[in-house]
Amino acid sequence: MKMEDMPLSGPDNTKLEALVHDIYSELVEDACLGLCFEVHRAVKQGYFFLDETDQESMKEFEIVDQPGVDIFGQVYNQWKNKECECPNCKRLIAASRFAPHLEKCLGMGRNSSRIANRRLASNNNMSKSESDQEDNDDLNDNDWSYGAEKKARKRKSDKNQNSPRRSKSIKHKNGELGSSVSSEPYKYNYNTGISYETLGPDEVRSLLTTQCGVISEHTKKMCTRSQRCPQHTDEQRRAVRVFLLGPSAPSLPDADTVVESDSFDIPDGQTLMSRLQWEDSPDISPADSASSKASTNHSDSRRPKKKKRPSLGLNSGGGGSLTGGGGSSSSSSQSNISLSTKKKRPKLSAPSISSIYDDLN
Amino acid sequence: MSKESRMRATINQKLTEMGERERLKELLRAKLTECGWKDQMKAHCKEVIKEKGFEHVTVEDLVVEITPKGRALVPDSVKKELLHRIRAFLAQHAT
């Protein structure tokens, strides 16, 4: 900067200041002239006075500037304190609440039908789930009303097919609807993630089979995204599993290695044992037959596809077997996890299997 | 003096050539409209026209009536900003 910004001392500067002012005056005159031309043209063309009418109308629509009144002269909250009598229920309702009240009162309108449907659904589920729980004491042990929740979820997904708020409700109930595919009965707080301290070991295991589960440093909560969430690496996931489930925890499911049957390369006492146990399983209740079938498929596909993790072999061997409700809990739990991790693609079967086993255990 | 007038000529030339003059003009116009100066002036014009009879009003009439008032009515903030910008330009480009 060669010159100063402010008009200051020195002959040069005064001259410059004069120059500055001259330029400024020129600009202002230019603006005025422009305005004059504009107005003159408007007058000559006849559109200058268009916004003026007779005096009376002008007075009528003058801008009002009084307090308590808007510029049109209308009182702003005139109807706020008025109450109307509902023709249906004969109550006195405030004017601003009148329309929504009428909607609900008469039972017409989008919202009221949706609410009614939901209430019906939940009522049915309540009555049904109670009867279920009386039959099975075992079911009571685990998380609340697994059966009811399953049915409720199913019902809700049916009922809300056509309602305009469907996407919203799905978003809200992401913990339920979204994971109805992997219907696991754990306390799911979608917004804030899961705190691993509040969960039991079974829940943790079932959680870790479907979710990333990496514990955030800041919030101490487990990541609720999928197994392949980009925020966390597989190493982290493995570390979390080791941390939560012990050193013998099953390692991570890898999407590529859906069926990782390296087990058969590693003969292990436990593998043999668990396989023996598995062979017993077809005798047991039909509820398990589905799971045992799945396990059959699983162990049949022995081809060592991708030997990414040799450690996986142990667990896949364990996974090859499913105990029918009995057997060592550790191996069964491990098998649960590895099975469900293996069966990542046909997602429907695995989580339901693990949850069945959770209930039985 | 001629030196000065030469300098002035140079600066004016530069102003125009670099487009700064146009920019300043636009800036001024926008600011005047924003602050209500234009509406004020229009109202004044109406009075003048009604006075003179709008059939026969000429540009000259208007100019003579409007310009002094217009110059006076420019708000201070607008004036200051323009002066500031002009000074900045001079500071950058004066030899």
Side-chain angles (χ1 to χ4, degrees), chain A residues 5 15 17 19-20 22-24 26-27 29-30 33 35 37-38 40 43-44 48-49 52, chain B residues 4 8 11 21 25 28 38 41 46 49 54-55 57 59 63 71 74 79 83-84 87 90:
Chain A
D5 221 46
K15 286 191 188 138
E17 262 313 292
L19 181 57
V20 166
D22 278 346
I23 295 175
Y24 166 75
E26 232 182 279
L27 288 169
E29 270 183 39
D30 209 57
L33 205 63
L35 180 71
F37 284 142
E38 209 182 298
H40 182 259
V43 168
K44 290 302 178 188
F48 189 62
F49 289 108
E52 285 177 17
Chain B
E4 193 192 328
R8 280 183 169 228
I11 290 198
R21 186 173 250 132
K25 264 197 213 168
L28 180 63
K38 196 171 178 186
M41 297 311 294
K46 269 188 202 166
I49 291 164
F54 77 95
E55 281 295 329
V57 69
V59 179
V63 168
R71 255 191 256 125
V74 173
K79 183 172 182 180
L83 287 176
H84 178 80
R87 256 183 237 126
L90 281 185

